Amino acid sequence: MEKLEKMRNIGISAHIDSGKTTLTERILFYSGRIHAIHEVRGKDGVGATMDSMELERERGITIASAATHVEWKDHPINIIDTPGHVDFTIEVERALRVLDGAILVLCSVGGVQSQSITVDRQLKRYKVPRLAFVNKCDRTGANPYKVKDQLIDKLNLNAVLMQIPIGLEDKLEGVVDLVAMKAYYYDGDSGETIRVEEIPANLKAEADTKREEMLDAVSMFDDELMELMMEGEALPEEKIHTAIRKGTLALELVPVFMGSAYKNKGIQTLLDAVTRYLPSPSDIENIALDLDNDEAEVRTLADNSKPTVALAFKLEEGQYGQLTYLRIYQGMVKKGSDLYNTRSRKKFKVGRLIRMHADHMEDITEAGVGDIVALFGIDCASGDTFCHPDLNYSMTSMYVPAPVISLSIEPKDKKASDNMAKALNRFTKEDPTFRTYVDPESNQTIIQGMGELHLDVYVERMKREYKAEVETGMPQVAYREAISQMADFNYTHKKQTGGSGQYGRVAGFVEPLEEGEYEFVNQIKGGAIPTEYIPACDKGFKKALEKGTLIGFPIVGVKVTINDGQSHSVDSSDMAFQAAALGAFREVYSKAKPIILEPIMKVTVEGPTEFQGNIFGSINQRRGVIVSSVEDGNYSSVEAEVPLSEMFGYSTTLRSLTQGKAEFSMEFLKYGKVPAGVSETLIKEYQEKRKAEQK
Amino acid sequence: MVKAELNKRSPLRIFENSIHGGVGKGNIGVLASRKGVGKTACLVHIATDKLFRDKHVIHVSFSSRVDHIVSWYEDIFKEIAKKRDLESAVEVHDEIIKNRVIMNFNQDGIETGHVLSSVKAMINEGKFPADAIIFDGYDITRARPEDMKAIKAFAEDVNLEIWASIGLRGEEPLFDEAGIPNELKSYLDVVSVLVTLRYESDYVHLKVVKDHGEMENREMDLKLDPKTLLIAEL
C-alpha cells in the first residue's frame, strides 16, 4: 500500500509547440530511463524518445499517446504523453480518463492559447488535479508572471507561483523556490547536477513578496498553517507542502512552476512537485458500472486483494503485434491469469505483460492497482473493460463525439487495397472518432473523423505504416436533413401482381423533434392496423429516414405519430406495411418543409491585434458569426461559429492573411440550418449527381 | 406572446418616449450610477430590446470576462421571455443572438483610439451591420477629456447610436442640485442623453438629467426591478 501511495499517473497536456515532448524527454533523462537527450526536431535524426511515430518525427508533434514508466525518488510515475492538437482530442480525452493528475505546460511567450483553453476544459471535465509548468523561459519575450495572470483570467484557475525565475530569456539561470526560499541552479552538460544556493540579493525582496502571496493563497487549505501564520510562528516546509497538496487535490489550487526544458532548467524541481502535490491512485475515487445490476454505480477499491477491474484505454500496433494499454482500477493483473472482456463477453488469458518505455518494453509478471501497463496480442477495442471472470463491470463510458467530416478513399492497386483494409481495421479500433464504411451506392470506401487534419493524418499513416497508397476525394461535410413543420399523411400501399397482393394503409402526422433523432408514437385505436404490423410501420419510417430526398443525407429530429390505417385479411403483411410507411414518409416529407442542417464549428482564432481586421474579414467570408473578440495588450482572440463546409483550407488562408502569426482551433458545436442560397446549390448539385449516375 | 407584440409592449418604449424617441444615430447616451446599482442590467436590457427588434448590437466591455457578459444576456432574455410568456423562445433566442457580438478589452493597456479602431474593423472588415454600440464599464476616471470627444466623433463617423455606462465614485454628494454627476460635468457637451440610477425605497429609480438639447431633472415612469433586473413600469 505504501507503494500505491507513492505511485503517480500523470499526463502532460499542452498547446502544440509549447515544448511538451522536450519536457517529457527531459523527464525520462533525469529519471534515468534514457541516457542521452534528443531534440524533437533533432538534427541527430533520432527524435525525442516519446515521439515514437515516424510521422510525428517529421512533423515535430506527438499524435498518439504513449505511456511510459519512470521512477523519481522512489516514486513510480506513469507518464501519458498526450497530443496537443484539437483535431486529435479523443486521444487526449482517453488519456485523461485514466490519469490521476496532470502537468499543464504553457509557453512563457505565448501563454494561455486557444488549445490550452481546450485542454484545460478537458482537464476540468475529468476533474484532473493539475500543476502548471511555464516552459521556454529562455525565449525572447518570456514572462511567467503574465502567464500566471492569464491562468487566472482566462482559465479561471487559482494559479499561484511556487517559484520565481532567476533571470529570463537568454539570462535564465535557474529558479527560486518560494517554499524552501532557496535558489536552484541546474549545472552540468545536461542540467543534471542541482546546486542549491542562497537567494541572490537582487531577488530577495521580490521572493519575499511572492512567498507572502503564495502563503496567503495556500494557507486557505490548512487550518494549522493558517494559525501558525497568524501567530507569526516559523512555518515548517512540510506544513506548506501539505496545504498545497490539499488545495491541488481539491482542484482549488494550481501551483505554477517554471523553467526551460530545452535549456535543462526546472525539470527536477517539477518532478519533486509531481510527487509532492499530485494525487496517488488511492486519492481518487473511480466509479464502475455493474452490468449485472442495471448498471448501478460501484466504487472501485484501490486494493490488490480484490477482483480485477481494468480499462483498455489505448491500442497500438507495435512491431510485434497489437499492444493494449491498460489502467488497473482494482485488484491485480498477473501473467497467466484469466480476464473477462465485459463488452465482447470473452474470456482470455494474460500472455505477455509489459511495462512500456516509449519504444522499449520491459516484461513483468504482475501489476497492481493503479498501475498502467500493456498486454500483447489481446483482441479488443479501446474503451473495453477487463474484469476478473466473477465480475461484470464496465468503467464509465467515455465521451465520444460524432464525426463531422468524411472523405472517400480509393486504393491505388490490389496490394494497397489489402493493406488499406488492415490499416482501417486497426485505426477504427484505436480511435472511436475515426469511422469507416463502404458507400453502397458508389461502392467507395468512406472514412469519417473530427476534422480535415484528423483524416489527413490517417491517410498519411496508411501510406507510411501500411504501405497503402490511396487516392482521396474531396472532403465531404456530414450534412443532415430535417423537417421544419408538422404535416399529415394518409398513404395506401396497394399492389396486385397475381397471387396474393400487398395492402396497407397508414395515416397520421410527422412533426419536428427538439431533442433526439427519431420517435415513433402509436395512437392506433380499435385495431385499424393490427398490432402485429405496428413494428413493421416503425421499421418502414426508420428506413425512410436513412436517406433524405433533398441531398441524400440522413434525416434527423422527426417524431412520427400514426393514428389510423387499414389492413386486408389476405393481402396485408409486414412487408406491405413497411412499404406503406416508407411511401407515407416520402409523400409527407415535402409537405413538412424539409431543411438541410450542417455542422457548425466553434472556431477560436488568435493572433496579434494588428491582424484583427483580416481575421474578422476571413470569418465573415466564411458565413461565420463572430461571437466575441477579446483583446489584451497586443494579442487578440476571436471566437466565432462557422459552418464546417467553409473551413476547408482555412489554415492556409489564415497563414497568408497574418504572415503566419495567427492560429486557430476548432471543435464541433452543433448542427445548424443551412441558409436558403446554399441549400439550393446543394440540392442542385445532388440532383445533377443523381442524373449523371442514372445515365 | 409573439415577438412583435412583446416589442410593442416593452417598457423600453416608455424609456424611448421619455428621451425624444431614443439617443439617435451619431449620439451618445450615458447611464451613470455608483457601482452595483444596475447599470449593466439596464444596458443589457436596452441591447436585448434592440436585438428583439432585429437590430445588430456590438457590446464593448472593459471589465468583465466574456462568459459573464453572455450570462447577463442569457438571464435578461430568460426573464423577459418568462414575464411575457414568449412563444418559440428557443428559436427567437437563437435567431437574435446571432446579431450580437461581444468585444472585450482590458482598459489598462489599451487606448480609447485603439478600441474604436477595433470596433471599426468589426464593422468594416467583419461586415457586422451594427445598429448600436454598448460601452459597458468604461472607466471615465481613467479616460482623458479627448477620449470622450473621440467616442462622440466615432459615433458620428459610423453614424451609430452609442450607449455607455459610467461608474461614479468618490464622496457624497455625487450629484449637484440639477442631478448632474460631478464627475461627468466636463463631458456634458458630448453626451446627448444622460440617465442616472439611484437605489431608494426598494427599487432603482431612473432619472433623466439630460435629454438632447435640454437639461432636466425628471424621474422616468420606470424603475429597475431588483428581483428580475429588468427595466419595468412603475
Side-chain angles (χ1 to χ4, degrees):
Chain A
M1 275 302 108
E2 193 203 343
K3 197 176 173 197
L4 181 64
E5 267 149 34
K6 288 193 166 178
M7 186 186 289
R8 299 290 178 265
N9 289 318
I10 62 161
I12 301 179
S13 291
H15 182 274
I16 206 161
D17 269 350
S18 52
K20 185 187 51 170
T21 306
T22 311
L23 173 66
T24 311
E25 176 78 359
R26 296 304 190 267
I27 290 177
L28 298 181
F29 175 74
Y30 294 122
S31 58
R33 274 280 138 185
I34 53 171
H35 303 290
I37 290 173
H38 307 291
E39 297 315 323
V40 183
R41 297 169 198 272
K43 289 189 189 90
D44 53 9
V46 180
T49 308
M50 287 293 279
D51 227 5
S52 50
M53 273 193 245
E54 191 192 338
L55 172 63
E56 294 176 338
R57 262 177 213 167
E58 187 174 283
R59 295 198 175 179
I61 55 172
T62 311
I63 296 161
S65 49
T68 189
H69 180 88
V70 302
E71 301 258 342
W72 180 252
K73 297 188 179 168
D74 207 22
H75 284 267
I77 304 176
N78 292 306
I79 300 169
I80 311 288
D81 191 23
T82 51
H85 197 284
V86 78
D87 268 20
F88 313 119
T89 44
I90 191 65
E91 299 264 15
V92 184
E93 304 235 5
R94 254 198 265 142
L96 292 175
R97 177 73 176 76
V98 301
L99 296 176
D100 300 319
I103 303 173
L104 183 61
V105 187
L106 301 138
C107 168
S108 74
V109 185
V112 174
Q113 290 156 291
S114 62
Q115 281 153 31
S116 329
I117 297 172
T118 309
V119 165
D120 187 68
R121 194 163 49 230
Q122 290 159 344
L123 290 172
K124 278 185 183 135
R125 186 187 296 153
Y126 289 97
K127 298 194 174 69
V128 181
R130 49 207 176 278
L131 313 175
F133 181 70
V134 184
N135 194 17
K136 300 194 178 181
C137 283
D138 59 309
R139 286 278 190 92
T140 311
N143 186 349
Y145 301 105
K146 186 187 85 185
V147 181
K148 192 253 327 181
D149 289 343
Q150 287 178 345
L151 286 168
I152 296 170
D153 294 341
K154 291 192 178 180
L155 302 182
N156 206 13
L157 298 174
N158 182 17
V160 177
L161 289 180
M162 294 291 137
Q163 299 171 333
I164 57 168
I166 304 174
L168 271 176
E169 303 182 344
D170 55 348
K171 295 189 179 61
L172 177 73
E173 290 179 54
V175 297
V176 172
D177 180 327
L178 299 175
V179 177
M181 286 305 267
K182 294 279 182 207
Y184 286 71
Y185 299 92
Y186 306 86
D187 294 343
D189 287 346
S190 306
E192 65 275 20
T193 318
I194 295 185
R195 177 162 52 87
V196 184
E197 303 262 355
E198 290 306 316
I199 299 172
N202 63 338
L203 287 177
K204 187 75 177 74
E206 191 193 348
D208 285 338
T209 319
K210 297 293 177 201
R211 178 179 160 94
E212 279 297 305
E213 284 175 16
M214 182 269 290
L215 288 172
D216 280 346
V218 306
S219 59
M220 306 299 289
F221 304 102
D222 191 285
D223 293 343
E224 268 185 67
L225 184 69
M226 175 95 80
E227 264 173 45
L228 289 174
M229 273 174 68
M230 295 211 309
E231 285 158 16
E233 307 245 347
L235 307 176
E237 278 183 34
E238 272 316 306
K239 280 257 174 298
I240 305 177
H241 290 318
T242 308
I244 298 171
R245 182 174 162 82
K246 278 188 192 165
T248 309
L249 261 52
L251 298 168
E252 286 172 19
L253 179 79
V254 175
V256 181
F257 300 85
M258 57 195 65
S260 160
Y262 181 65
K263 294 279 177 192
N264 307 316
K265 297 195 193 306
I267 312 305
Q268 297 95 321
T269 30
L270 176 68
L271 278 170
D272 287 342
V274 165
T275 59
R276 273 185 195 131
Y277 309 134
L278 288 182
S280 77
S282 55
D283 292 316
I284 301 285
E285 181 173 313
N286 287 297
I287 301 289
L289 303 174
D290 186 351
L291 300 177
D292 288 339
N293 191 11
D294 215 8
E295 299 207 349
E297 290 192 353
V298 199
R299 195 182 161 178
T300 58
L301 301 168
D303 185 343
N304 280 338
S305 65
K306 298 280 175 201
T308 316
V309 180
L311 174 74
F313 66 94
K314 168 86 188 162
L315 306 186
E316 245 177 38
E317 182 74 358
Q319 225 173 327
Y320 312 101
Q322 180 178 301
L323 259 185
T324 305
Y325 286 86
L326 216 59
R327 152 89 198 232
I328 307 169
Y329 286 97
Q330 179 175 292
M332 297 185 85
V333 172
K334 289 181 185 169
K335 196 175 167 175
S337 66
D338 284 335
L339 284 178
Y340 174 65
N341 182 334
T342 59
R343 183 193 54 88
S344 67
R345 299 182 182 174
K346 280 186 188 151
K347 220 160 83 169
F348 64 90
K349 206 174 262 312
V350 176
R352 273 180 78 187
L353 188 62
I354 302 290
R355 217 186 267 301
M356 285 303 295
H357 161 70
D359 274 352
H360 320 286
M361 52 186 83
E362 171 197 343
D363 276 276
I364 53 173
T365 53
E366 59 175 41
V369 77
D371 218 344
I372 290 178
V373 289
L375 299 179
F376 249 122
I378 304 297
D379 183 26
C380 66
S382 82
D384 285 359
T385 304
F386 300 156
C387 289
H388 181 276
D390 292 348
L391 282 185
N392 192 15
Y393 287 179
S394 175
M395 294 307 296
T396 330
S397 70
M398 288 189 261
Y399 171 82
V400 180
V404 290
I405 182 173
S406 62
L407 193 68
S408 68
I409 51 170
E410 189 92 43
K412 283 191 176 155
D413 49 42
K414 173 75 179 70
K415 193 165 166 262
S417 170
D418 295 345
N419 290 343
M420 182 181 93
K422 265 189 225 160
L424 292 178
N425 183 31
R426 169 66 38 216
F427 298 159
T428 45
K429 276 188 176 177
E430 270 180 30
D431 179 353
T433 60
F434 179 80
R435 295 175 198 180
T436 173
Y437 68 96
V438 176
D439 182 357
E441 279 174 21
S442 64
N443 222 3
Q444 280 178 319
T445 303
I446 310 290
I447 55 173
Q448 296 177 299
M450 298 315 296
E452 224 179 342
L453 184 55
H454 186 206
L455 296 185
D456 276 356
V457 163
Y458 280 116
V459 170
E460 287 277 311
R461 280 185 63 188
M462 270 185 234
K463 198 163 96 187
R464 285 159 189 255
E465 292 171 37
Y466 290 85
K467 308 265 177 294
E469 293 272 356
V470 296
E471 302 256 15
T472 57
M474 282 291 284
Q476 174 72 60
V477 169
Y479 291 104
R480 293 286 178 267
E481 296 184 23
I483 55 171
S484 62
Q485 66 177 42
M486 193 185 132
D488 294 321
F489 58 84
N490 186 353
Y491 184 86
T492 308
H493 174 73
K494 203 155 101 183
K495 236 178 196 174
Q496 283 294 350
T497 47
S500 64
Q502 287 187 30
Y503 184 86
R505 179 171 76 87
V506 289
F509 55 93
V510 295
E511 58 191 320
L513 186 64
E514 292 248 327
E515 268 178 44
E517 299 205 338
Y518 169 68
E519 202 179 308
F520 177 74
V521 180
N522 172 20
Q523 282 181 358
I524 301 273
K525 290 200 180 81
I529 298 176
T531 324
E532 72 250 41
Y533 297 135
I534 300 295
C537 296
D538 183 13
K539 209 168 159 190
F541 285 115
K542 270 190 198 151
K543 195 156 184 221
L545 296 179
E546 282 172 10
K547 197 167 177 187
T549 47
L550 288 184
I551 55 165
F553 277 88
I555 305 166
V556 292
V558 181
K559 183 174 172 183
V560 181
T561 305
I562 52 168
N563 52 23
D564 197 13
Q566 208 174 357
S567 66
H568 184 276
S569 56
V570 179
D571 291 346
S572 281
S573 63
D574 268 5
M575 209 162 59
F577 272 100
Q578 227 186 91
L582 194 68
F585 192 84
R586 294 218 168 121
E587 182 193 80
V588 79
Y589 190 49
S590 56
K591 280 202 284 179
K593 293 251 161 72
I595 50 169
I596 302 172
L597 304 177
E598 61 181 340
I600 307 286
M601 310 301 280
K602 180 177 163 186
V603 177
T604 309
V605 191
E606 290 182 326
T609 305
E610 54 183 302
F611 299 112
Q612 189 173 236
N614 291 350
I615 296 171
F616 290 157
S618 69
I619 290 168
N620 178 266
Q621 282 163 7
R622 290 179 158 66
R623 292 197 281 123
V625 174
I626 299 173
V627 177
S628 68
S629 111
V630 175
E631 275 186 47
D632 190 1
N634 294 321
Y635 217 66
S636 149
S637 161
V638 181
E639 199 184 298
E641 294 175 8
V642 191
L644 174 66
S645 60
E646 303 283 337
M647 287 303 290
F648 296 132
Y650 187 59
S651 50
T652 318
T653 312
L654 188 65
R655 248 198 314 272
S656 69
L657 283 176
T658 62
Q659 299 166 9
K661 288 180 185 159
E663 58 179 30
F664 80 102
S665 68
M666 65 172 178
E667 59 185 288
F668 172 70
L669 178 71
K670 60 179 181 193
Y671 268 96
K673 192 181 160 189
V674 172
V678 180
S679 175
E680 277 163 26
T681 316
L682 287 170
I683 293 170
K684 211 172 137 204
E685 279 171 9
Y686 177 66
Q687 283 165 349
E688 277 166 10
K689 194 179 132 203
R690 289 204 53 168
K691 250 189 229 158
E693 279 167 3
Q694 280 162 5
K695 271 181 193 167
Chain B
M1 192 184 285
V2 294
K3 201 173 90 179
E5 182 69 14
L6 180 145
N7 284 332
K8 223 198 250 169
R9 289 170 57 178
S10 167
L12 270 291
R13 300 294 79 73
I14 301 175
F15 188 92
E16 285 174 348
N17 287 339
S18 57
I19 49 171
H20 284 92
V23 170
K25 287 181 174 176
N27 294 331
I28 303 177
V30 166
L31 293 171
S33 77
R34 268 205 195 281
K35 203 181 165 194
V37 176
K39 291 182 301 292
T40 301
C42 275
L43 272 185
V44 172
H45 195 172
I46 291 171
T48 305
D49 175 69
K50 292 189 187 301
L51 294 172
F52 265 119
R53 288 183 291 146
D54 299 322
K55 292 185 187 273
H56 291 69
V57 175
I58 298 179
H59 184 116
V60 178
S61 87
F62 295 94
S63 45
S64 311
R65 298 212 324 252
V66 171
D67 50 341
H68 290 174
I69 305 159
V70 170
S71 31
W72 265 113
Y73 275 89
E74 294 298 310
D75 291 348
I76 296 283
F77 181 89
K78 262 186 222 146
E79 288 294 343
I80 296 174
K82 196 170 89 187
K83 195 170 165 186
R84 301 290 185 187
D85 196 16
L86 177 65
E87 269 180 39
S88 329
V90 179
E91 283 90 35
V92 172
H93 173 271
D94 291 354
E95 199 51 48
I96 68 171
I97 224 69
K98 286 183 191 159
N99 299 338
R100 176 205 69 199
V101 63
I102 295 166
M103 301 186 75
N104 193 38
F105 298 88
N106 182 351
Q107 204 182 341
D108 274 346
I110 289 180
E111 302 255 327
T112 303
H114 178 94
V115 172
L116 297 176
S117 75
S118 287
V119 175
K120 206 165 177 183
M122 181 67 76
I123 296 168
N124 293 340
E125 275 93 358
K127 303 257 182 313
F128 188 79
D131 295 292
I133 300 170
I134 304 290
F135 265 69
D136 184 19
Y138 189 66
D139 188 348
I140 197 86
T141 55
R142 279 200 253 171
R144 297 162 302 176
E146 58 263 38
D147 288 337
M148 278 303 272
K149 286 206 179 90
I151 297 175
K152 168 71 179 165
F154 176 78
E156 286 171 357
D157 175 30
V158 294
N159 197 27
L160 294 175
E161 126 180 14
I162 293 181
W163 266 106
S165 71
I166 290 178
L168 303 174
R169 295 184 206 185
E171 302 279 307
E172 292 286 351
L174 288 175
F175 309 94
D176 68 6
E177 294 96 50
I180 303 170
N182 297 322
E183 276 182 271
L184 286 179
K185 276 188 177 160
S186 50
Y187 302 110
L188 273 184
D189 53 333
V190 292
V191 172
S192 299
V193 172
L194 173 60
V195 176
T196 57
L197 284 77
R198 200 167 25 87
Y199 184 80
E200 213 170 83
S201 41
D202 294 342
Y203 62 85
V204 177
H205 297 246
L206 303 166
K207 193 188 261 183
V208 182
V209 178
K210 186 177 178 190
D211 178 6
H212 296 279
E214 290 164 39
M215 295 307 296
E216 309 207 358
N217 194 3
R218 144 173 73 87
E219 293 269 349
M220 279 183 169
D221 293 330
L222 295 168
K223 63 175 181 181
L224 184 71
D225 183 339
K227 227 157 106 196
T228 59
L229 292 173
L230 295 180
I231 297 172
E233 291 172 49
L234 274 180

